[in-house]
Amino acid sequence: MINNVVLVGRLVRDPELRYTPQNTAVATFTLAVNRRFKNAQGEREADFINCVIWRQSAENLANWAKKGALIGVTGSIQVRNYENKEGQRVYVTEVLADNFQMLESRAVREGGNGSYSAPQPQQPQNSMFAGTNTASTATPDFGRDADPFGGSPMEISDDDLPF
């Protein structure tokens, strides 16, 4: 059987960290996850998914992730039940998170504009391929506007052609 869950969403509120009588950390949190489609009014709706995470991961989540943080969660679906004060059986479906990943920096989340501008590598002046840096750590420019011939026309004679 397969029971895998992968979610990306924003924390609805700060995670709630508690400890069991055996001193095991457990954190509960709710993720707002956008649906893939829009409603009839053209607005994107979200599902609010309850999650639980245990031990060191729970402490890390409570210490680092705050309301509004974009996080990724992997885990499984868990269904549990209990009897409430009125004697009724209550079923709870939640994600049992194995681990989480912060998906944006705190500076981006708290900075206001929410956008990230990657530093632009300097381009060499006389490169054979426009948009390509000769340094080994450079990122090539795969844009459609890049001219692979350096901006100057190629001189091709009929003798150069194979047909």
Side-chain angles (χ1 to χ4, degrees), residues 5 7 49-53 73 75-78 93-97:
V5 174
L7 297 172
I49 301 172
N50 294 325
C51 305
V52 61
I53 192 166
V73 172
S76 58
I77 295 286
Q78 167 181 282
T93 302
E94 59 197 359
V95 172
L96 177 59

Side-chain angles (χ1 to χ4, degrees), residues 16-151:
E16 183 180 324
L17 180 65
R18 290 173 291 159
Y19 290 89
T20 67
Q22 295 79 24
N23 206 30
T24 303
V26 58
T28 55
F29 59 99
T30 302
L31 274 185
V33 179
N34 285 341
R35 293 185 177 169
R36 292 186 295 229
F37 52 87
K38 295 180 181 178
N39 64 16
Q41 292 78 31
E43 299 167 343
R44 193 167 300 276
E45 295 179 349
D47 292 305
F48 296 88
I49 301 172
N50 294 325
C51 305
V52 61
I53 192 166
W54 291 83
R55 298 177 185 78
Q56 185 64 49
S57 295
E59 292 177 336
N60 290 341
L61 181 74
N63 288 333
W64 295 101
K66 302 300 177 196
K67 177 181 177 180
L70 182 67
I71 65 170
V73 172
T74 58
S76 58
I77 295 286
Q78 167 181 282
V79 179
R80 59 184 174 85
N81 63 73
Y82 63 93
E83 200 169 291
N84 66 10
K85 294 176 184 175
E86 290 81 34
Q88 299 170 325
R89 179 74 45 205
V90 177
Y91 290 89
V92 178
T93 302
E94 59 197 359
V95 172
L96 177 59
D98 295 327
N99 54 51
F100 74 96
Q101 179 73 44
M102 302 290 292
L103 298 179
E104 65 185 0
S105 70
R106 182 176 290 173
V108 169
R109 189 174 72 250
E110 295 173 357
N113 65 2
S115 64
Y116 172 74
S117 298
Q120 299 297 319
Q122 293 182 348
Q123 301 296 324
Q125 294 296 327
N126 295 324
S127 175
M128 184 170 133
F129 298 103
T132 304
N133 195 331
T134 56
S136 62
T137 60
T139 303
D141 180 8
F142 294 111
R144 293 190 181 273
D145 296 333
D147 183 3
F149 304 109

